[in-house]
């Protein structure tokens, strides 16, 4: 009986050590390589560390229950208005969106800037597929578009550059990243697409337009640039906020400063 109680106590102690507090956070992420920003090899180390994070995220991070699924990822709704030229003028709404492919993220480079601990991360997605319901009104070149239906996009070999802004904060004796904003840019090697019911049931016109889009995929990628970037940004901002609220920044950058060290101590409020 005594041995059993000792084993139970040990398991409880380990659990407390791994996830602490009411606002739980991880304190022993063995699957993440710690790096020192002062080291010359920091970028290589950080690149490896962020790759480990994406690999673990695909399997599921124990204790991080706020991310239900990373691949596929689901978005309820995206609304975009894009009209920067006579050639492209679009209003697009996507609903019940399913995105496949982030589980195969390959990190090319991860930079962290000492001035403000913002990041620049470059990664590839061999495939990114999007399925959902669409509503589209406007034009691409000379093609007037007005339809509602199902949309399928299949991007090939995307290279994404992500610029992320953060604000450091303290919790439980650790330093954390508050991910405040991010912006992405991308390039791709191909884009397959299909829009059902583009012209309210005119199948012949629908088929010819879909063929035109696939034959001229670069033009379509330019037209949907804002849609694609916002989709990626919405996914990554949601995921990164939750991850870095759960895992202390100290485990990614072991010599990261405290908020007081980086920003200076807050001035006392006047009485």
């Amino acid at each position: 009986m005594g041995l059993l109680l000792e084993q139970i106590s040990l398991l409880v102690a380990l659990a407390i050590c791994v996830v602490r507090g009411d606002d739980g956070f991880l304190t022993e992420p063995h699957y993440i390589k710690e790096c020192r920003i002062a080291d010359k090899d920091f970028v290589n180390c950080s690149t490896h560390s962020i790759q480990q994070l994406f690999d673990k995220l695909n399997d599921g991070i124990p204790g991080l229950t706020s991310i239900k699924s990373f691949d596929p990822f689901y978005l309820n709704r995206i609304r975009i208005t894009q009209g920067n030229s006579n050639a492209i003028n679009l209003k697009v709404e996507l609903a019940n969106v399913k995105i496949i492919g982030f589980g195969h993220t390959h990190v090319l480079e991860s930079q962290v800037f000492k001035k403000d601990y913002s990041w620049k991360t470059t990664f590839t997605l061999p495939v990114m597929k999007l399925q959902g319901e669409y509503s589209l009104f406007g034009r691409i070149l000379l093609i007037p578009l007005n339809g509602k239906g199902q949309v399928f996009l299949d991007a090939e070999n995307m290279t994404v550059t992500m610029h992320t802004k953060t604000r450091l904060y303290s919790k439980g004796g650790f330093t954390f990243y508050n991910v405040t904003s991010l912006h992405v840019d991308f390039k791709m090697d191909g884009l397959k697409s299909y829009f059902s019911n583009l012209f309210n049931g005119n199948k012949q016109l629908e088929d010819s337009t879909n063929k035109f889009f696939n034959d001229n995929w670069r033009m379509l990628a330019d037209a949907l640039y804002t849609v694609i970037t916002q989709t990626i940004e919405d996914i990554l901002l949601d995921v990164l906020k939750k991850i870095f609220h759960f895992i202390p920044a100290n485990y990614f950058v072991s010599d990261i400063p405290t908020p007081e060290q980086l920003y200076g101590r807050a001035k006392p409020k006047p009485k």
Side-chain angles (χ1 to χ4, degrees):
M1 183 69 177
L3 179 60
L4 178 60
L5 289 174
E6 285 183 15
Q7 291 174 331
I8 293 174
S9 298
L10 178 60
L11 289 172
V12 171
L14 286 172
I16 293 173
C17 184
V18 172
V19 180
R20 293 183 181 176
D22 296 331
D23 189 14
F25 61 88
L26 198 64
T27 62
E28 289 189 357
H30 301 295
Y31 43 84
I32 295 173
K33 181 179 177 64
E34 289 188 19
C35 305
R36 284 176 47 83
I37 200 167
D39 291 347
K40 292 181 179 179
D41 196 44
F42 173 76
V43 172
N44 288 334
C45 181
S46 180
T47 300
H48 182 59
S49 177
I50 299 304
Q51 183 65 63
Q52 289 178 315
L53 176 66
F54 273 106
D55 292 343
K56 190 63 180 177
L57 184 60
N58 195 34
D59 298 332
I61 296 175
L64 184 57
T65 58
S66 56
I67 300 176
K68 305 302 182 184
S69 175
F70 184 57
D71 192 2
F73 195 91
Y74 298 90
L75 290 171
N76 290 329
R77 194 169 299 276
I78 303 170
R79 291 188 179 96
I80 297 290
T81 298
Q82 183 171 341
N84 53 9
S85 71
N86 292 329
I88 299 172
N89 193 329
L90 289 175
K91 290 184 179 180
V92 183
E93 181 172 325
L94 304 179
N96 300 318
V97 181
K98 176 182 179 180
I99 301 99
I100 299 169
F102 278 93
H104 299 284
T105 299
H106 176 60
V107 181
L108 299 178
E109 186 176 70
S110 169
Q111 299 182 55
V112 179
F113 301 102
K114 291 178 69 174
K115 179 182 178 181
D116 58 359
Y117 284 83
S118 60
W119 320 327
K120 180 183 177 183
T121 313
T122 306
F123 59 91
T124 61
L125 297 170
V127 173
M128 190 187 81
K129 297 181 179 182
L130 180 151
Q131 301 169 241
E133 302 166 12
Y134 84 91
S135 172
L136 187 152
F137 176 77
R139 67 178 181 275
I140 298 176
L141 295 181
L142 300 177
I143 303 174
L145 300 170
N146 185 2
K148 294 182 179 180
Q150 296 292 316
V151 59
F152 173 79
L153 300 176
D154 185 352
E156 179 183 348
N157 290 329
M158 292 188 71
T159 300
V160 181
T161 302
M162 175 177 69
H163 300 271
T164 309
K165 293 294 185 181
T166 70
R167 183 81 181 174
L168 303 187
Y169 70 99
S170 297
K171 180 170 63 173
F174 291 87
T175 297
F176 285 78
Y177 286 121
N178 176 25
V179 180
T180 57
S181 65
L182 63 83
H183 170 72
V184 303
D185 192 10
F186 71 87
K187 59 182 180 180
M188 64 177 70
D189 291 342
L191 178 64
K192 298 175 183 177
S193 64
Y194 179 75
F195 295 84
S196 72
N197 198 40
L198 262 178
F199 299 98
N200 297 315
N202 187 327
K203 185 65 174 172
Q204 184 176 0
L205 190 55
E206 174 187 314
D207 289 345
S208 63
T209 302
N210 275 306
K211 183 179 185 304
F212 175 81
F213 286 160
N214 282 280
D215 291 342
N216 299 273
W217 65 266
R218 284 189 175 85
M219 179 212 65
L220 182 65
D222 288 343
L224 297 179
Y225 179 85
T226 305
V227 175
I228 297 171
T229 54
Q230 183 165 327
T231 300
I232 297 172
E233 288 169 358
D234 287 355
I235 292 171
L236 292 177
L237 184 61
D238 178 74
V239 168
L240 294 177
K241 275 181 171 290
K242 291 171 180 176
I243 288 174
F244 289 102
H245 185 65
F246 185 65
I247 304 177
N250 307 81
Y251 292 107
F252 297 92
V253 183
S254 60
D255 54 346
I256 195 170
T258 65
E260 291 79 13
Q261 290 170 333
L262 183 62
Y263 308 123
R265 295 187 178 275
K267 295 180 181 180
K269 295 181 179 180
K271 296 182 180 179

